[in-house]
């Protein structure tokens, strides 16, 4: 494993981003520790930079927390989805092992992390021009809601785009475009539900004004992600 760590090949990432079916198929059929370490490094780098950008509006401590929590959410979602998708895929016409499912999902979130990292400059620009925390009136709350909605849209886009990029791989594995589309839709649904709930529990967000900065809140399992996003969007549109 030591040699694997010393020979991480970043040139594999552009191939992964292009969604080329043959290299992707080889990756899930013969996943090496080197590839796993490469994917993990990219996830922590891309999602970590994006998370730091989200949290910097509240301050350095929030930036540190979100830079750690967002990659953790992606990895926990990867593990959960690998189990669920490994059971779902055979029902939809594709026999795939847990290891292959785990590798495919890990590849998907690696692509998502690269997309998130590429959006980081735009996010920093938004935060630079947002009202500072502590502004009078509803400016702080409005800025918080805007950042929360924009962050969620970017993460949602990254998740959908990364799964769609693996569509050619699913078609190659299943041998049927129809089966591939069914599996892709099922994976997207699982990603949405599980990822959203884990995001709510860990809250890798900007942090609400008026609440103390904490790594994990005592009420982490109360409420749900969709409720807070709906309320934030409603505040932006009707206030």
């Amino acid at each position: 494993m030591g040699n694997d760590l010393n020979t991480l090949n970043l040139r594999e990432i552009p191939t992964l981003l292009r969604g080329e079916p043959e290299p992707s198929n080889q990756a899930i059929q013969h996943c090496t520790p080197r590839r796993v370490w490469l994917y993990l490094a990219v996830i922590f780098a891309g999602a970590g930079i994006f998370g730091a950008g989200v949290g910097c509006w509240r301050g350095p401590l929030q930036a540190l927390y979100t830079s750690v929590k967002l990659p953790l959410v992606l990895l926990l979602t990867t593990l959960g989805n690998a189990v669920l998708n490994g059971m779902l895929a055979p029902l939809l016409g594709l026999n795939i092992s847990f290891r292959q499912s785990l590798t495919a999902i890990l590849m998907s979130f690696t692509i998502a992390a690269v997309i998130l990292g590429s959006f980081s400059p735009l996010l920093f620009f938004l935060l630079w021009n947002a009202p500072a925390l502590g502004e009078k009136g509803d400016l702080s709350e409005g800025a918080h809601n805007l950042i929360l909605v924009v962050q969620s849209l970017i993460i949602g886009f990254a998740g959908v785009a990364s799964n769609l990029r693996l569509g050619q791989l699913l078609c190659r594995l299943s041998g049927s475009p129809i089966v591939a589309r069914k599996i892709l839709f099922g994976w997207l649904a699982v990603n949405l539900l599980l990822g959203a709930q884990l995001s709510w529990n860990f809250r890798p967000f900007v942090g609400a004004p008026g609440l103390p900065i904490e790594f994990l809140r005592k009420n982490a399992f109360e409420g749900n992600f969709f409720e807070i996003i709906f309320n934030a969007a409603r505040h932006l549109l009707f206030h």
Side-chain angles (χ1 to χ4, degrees), residues 4 20 49 55 57 76 80 84 104 116 134 141 143 154 167 173 175 177 189-190 193 198 201 215 230:
D4 287 333
E20 297 180 11
I49 292 173
W57 185 72
L76 289 175
L84 296 175
L116 291 177
E141 184 177 358
I154 294 175
L173 293 173
V190 172
L193 296 176
L198 287 174
N201 297 144
F215 188 83
F230 174 78

Side-chain angles (χ1 to χ4, degrees), residues 91-194:
L91 298 177
L92 297 176
L94 174 61
N95 289 322
I96 188 172
S97 67
F98 170 76
R99 180 175 179 177
Q100 292 173 329
S101 174
L102 177 61
T103 304
I105 300 300
L106 188 61
M107 291 164 59
S108 171
F109 279 105
T110 301
I111 297 173
V114 174
I115 296 173
L116 291 177
S118 67
F119 270 103
S120 296
L122 295 177
L123 184 65
F124 277 108
F125 179 79
L126 172 65
L127 295 172
W128 181 265
N129 291 279
L133 181 65
E135 290 281 358
K136 296 181 178 179
D138 294 332
L139 289 179
S140 288
E141 184 177 358
H144 167 262
N145 291 328
L146 176 62
I147 296 168
L148 180 60
V149 171
V150 170
Q151 173 196 7
S152 301
L153 289 175
I154 294 175
I155 293 176
F157 171 78
V160 172
S162 61
N163 278 273
L164 292 177
R165 182 54 70 183
L166 293 183
Q168 297 181 73
L169 171 62
L170 293 175
C171 190
R172 169 73 177 272
L173 293 173
S174 64
S176 169
I178 297 177
V179 172
R181 283 195 294 269
K182 289 181 180 179
I183 296 172
L184 182 61
F185 179 80
W187 284 14
L188 284 171
V190 172
N191 283 343
L192 174 63
L193 296 176
L194 181 59

